[in-house]
Each structure stands twice: as C-alpha cells, then as structure tokens.
Amino acid sequence: MLLPKPEVRSLQCVIPLNVSDPVFRTVKPSRTEPDRPDRGQQLTSSWGKENISVMLEPQADRVMALGEWEERWQTDRIGFHQPHVHKLLEDNVDKVLAGRTGVRFFFPLCGKAVDMKWLADMGHTVVGVEISEKAIKQFFEENNLTYSEEPVAAVPGAKVFKSSEKNISLYQCDLYNFSSSIESQFGAIWDRGALVAINPRDREKYASLIISLMANDCRYLLDTLLYNPELYKGPPFLVPDEQVQILFGSRCDVERLQSVDAFIDKHRGWGLDSLTENLHLIRPKSS
C-alpha cells in the first residue's frame, strides 16, 4: 500500500514510501530556512499518526538507561556537549524573551551547557535538571562559580546545586521526578538535547511534563533532528516535525523558526549522509 506523499519544501526528511519495504528519499535543505507557522500542522494532517509511527519504527524500541548516561559522563564520552553558546539560541533569543526581563528559564537534561551561564549573565534565572552529578559540578567549576549543595526534600535522593553568584539552580535527579511543585512554572524553556535524547517510547510522558512546567506566557524553544533512522539507531533520535505537532499541538501553538543543514564529519561516522536541525517555538494556546 502506498502512503500519501506530502509536499515538502526545502526540508530534509526521511519519508517511508511503502509500509512493507521502507525506503527513504532525501530532500536537501538550504542552510537556514524560515518557515511558515502552520507548515507542521499541514503535514500532520496529511500523514496522520499511523504514518509517523512507520517513520519512527526503526528507533521505537531503543532504550538508554539512566546509568548509561551517567557512565558517558564518567568516561567523558560527551560528544553532545558544546563548549560554546548554541547559535540557534543566540539567533532566536529575542523571540523567546519577547521583550521580557528577568525570565525564568528551564533546561531539561541540562548537562553542563554554557548556555545557562550566558542567560544568567543577562539577568535571567536558570533552573536545570541533570542525572549526572559530575556534569553539574563541572558546570560550576568550569565557569568559576562557587555553589552550595543541599538535599531536595520533595525528591528522595535528589540534590540541588545553587550558584552563589548567579541565579542558577541545578537539580541532580531523574527528570520525571521533577515537577512544578518544586520550582513552580517557567517563562521560557530551552531544549537543545532533551527530547532528542529521551527514549522514544517516553515522548508523550516528556511532553506532558514540559507542558505542566509552562507558565501562560512561556516560550519553549525546541531543537530537533531529522535524518534516516535506518542508518543510525541513536541517540540523538529522529524527531520529525509531525510528531512535534502531535505531542504539543493540542495544547500549544507550534511554529518552526528555522531549518538548518547541520551535517558534519562526525555524523558521517554515525553512518549518516545527511542531518537537518529544526528549531521550533512552542507557546501555550491562549484560552
């Protein structure tokens, strides 16, 4: 049975053409492409959940245990860490701030992202969650920040590390044990490597958590990746625009801001021949 083939403009994606024998067509994007706000919704309507499941099937059962992520930090296998502020965040931070000052930012699976200090230096408050204690301590040490450490009463076994100089609090715990009852809701979220890192089967649970952490004026900046999942098992995992709409579209307005050809030699080592990075701005629907 042939699936309907959606119109795709300057977007690199993988499109299963036949359910029984998936093959993929690659459409090469321009380096940076603004997008219309309603484009993802159009594609979602065209494909539907069943066809997206076919696209995601090669990675559907892939599981990374928390201990595996901690081991990567312990053995310094952290190729996902960037030593500089992410360019997509730099280029689009004004859209997130929307003229606001002193915004409270949430960083899911924050690692030791230098983006956190960059935002704190601008006067914003940063709260992050990370499973690796080593990553959190390295963040403070590498940025020459003193910090305190204390247990989190609401989460047995969890700790919070707080900067003495900046408004930065990093929680060392399982992300799904974090909630708005601990730190209330946030005016902004920067998700550079969380949705693409969690186990694919947990995405609905993750989206529910993120939505619960969004204040009414929250602006959630989400970075996703597109590539052929037949060639690489992840993480990071494929997250197509259509699934972003399914996860968040019923409660939020989803706008794709940019689509960037992000393929570098490292990705060739993964067995890929192309990789696209998409940036989305997600806001709660006005009631």
Side-chain angles (χ1 to χ4, degrees):
M1 180 181 71
L2 292 179
L3 301 177
K5 190 158 44 177
E7 175 189 1
V8 180
R9 297 180 183 174
S10 300
L11 165 65
Q12 177 165 336
C13 61
V14 286
I15 304 176
L17 301 178
N18 188 285
V19 172
S20 62
D21 183 21
V23 293
F24 297 88
R25 182 181 69 185
T26 300
V27 183
K28 194 70 174 175
S30 57
R31 293 297 299 181
T32 301
E33 170 205 346
D35 199 25
R36 294 182 301 173
D38 61 344
R39 184 60 179 152
Q41 186 64 57
Q42 292 173 344
L43 288 173
T44 301
S45 299
S46 175
W47 281 35
K49 291 185 179 181
E50 181 179 347
N51 297 334
I52 295 170
S53 295
V54 173
M55 177 194 279
L56 298 174
E57 194 276 335
Q59 296 177 336
D61 297 324
R62 179 80 166 103
V63 174
M64 281 279 290
L66 290 179
E68 293 180 76
W69 286 111
E70 291 186 278
E71 182 185 2
R72 288 194 178 198
W73 280 101
Q74 290 300 326
T75 57
D76 293 320
R77 291 186 295 126
I78 53 171
F80 47 83
H81 172 70
Q82 292 190 356
H84 50 79
V85 176
H86 199 291
K87 189 176 189 313
L88 291 179
L89 175 61
E90 281 187 310
D91 291 346
N92 292 277
V93 69
D94 287 344
K95 295 183 178 69
V96 178
L97 296 177
R100 298 174 297 170
T101 59
V103 176
R104 298 183 71 248
F105 273 83
F106 180 62
F107 277 66
L109 307 186
C110 62
K112 58 177 182 178
V114 297
D115 304 359
M116 295 189 288
K117 184 174 184 296
W118 183 69
L119 288 166
D121 286 343
M122 295 168 61
H124 306 296
T125 297
V126 171
V127 175
V129 173
E130 169 58 47
I131 192 61
S132 170
E133 182 172 323
K134 180 179 180 180
I136 293 173
K137 289 182 175 180
Q138 283 186 345
F139 168 78
F140 289 110
E141 292 162 2
E142 292 174 6
N143 288 286
N144 298 312
L145 297 172
T146 58
Y147 61 91
S148 62
E149 173 185 340
E150 58 189 69
V152 180
V155 184
K159 302 176 185 176
V160 59
F161 297 77
K162 296 183 179 182
S163 167
S164 305
E165 299 92 349
K166 302 287 183 181
N167 291 324
I168 303 174
S169 299
L170 305 184
Y171 286 80
Q172 190 255 317
C173 65
D174 184 334
L175 177 64
Y176 299 115
N177 289 335
F178 189 82
S179 70
S180 59
S181 65
I182 298 173
E183 278 280 354
S184 191
Q185 294 179 314
F186 297 91
I189 300 172
W190 170 221
D191 182 343
R192 177 250 157 180
L195 182 58
V196 298
I198 64 166
N199 296 326
R201 68 185 184 188
D202 292 334
R203 286 177 185 167
E204 290 187 1
K205 179 168 70 169
Y206 176 85
S208 294
L209 172 62
I210 292 297
I211 291 172
S212 75
L213 294 173
M214 298 174 72
N216 291 337
D217 63 346
C218 183
R219 291 179 170 238
Y220 169 30
L221 200 62
L222 170 65
D223 188 24
T224 59
L225 300 175
L226 296 179
Y227 61 82
N228 185 340
E230 292 281 359
L231 302 178
Y232 179 62
K233 65 180 182 179
F237 298 108
L238 164 76
V239 180
D241 292 6
E242 300 87 348
Q243 191 175 40
V244 174
Q245 282 286 347
I246 288 172
L247 291 172
F248 298 101
S250 64
R251 302 277 300 277
C252 302
D253 295 319
V254 180
E255 175 186 1
R256 194 178 70 175
L257 297 178
Q258 284 184 267
S259 184
V260 179
D261 180 355
F263 183 76
I264 58 177
D265 285 342
K266 176 178 74 172
H267 303 133
R268 186 174 285 110
W270 296 355
L272 298 177
D273 56 9
S274 57
L275 182 141
T276 297
E277 195 168 3
N278 282 350
L279 188 71
H280 312 265
L281 183 64
I282 301 175
R283 292 169 289 179
K285 291 180 184 292
S286 55
S287 53

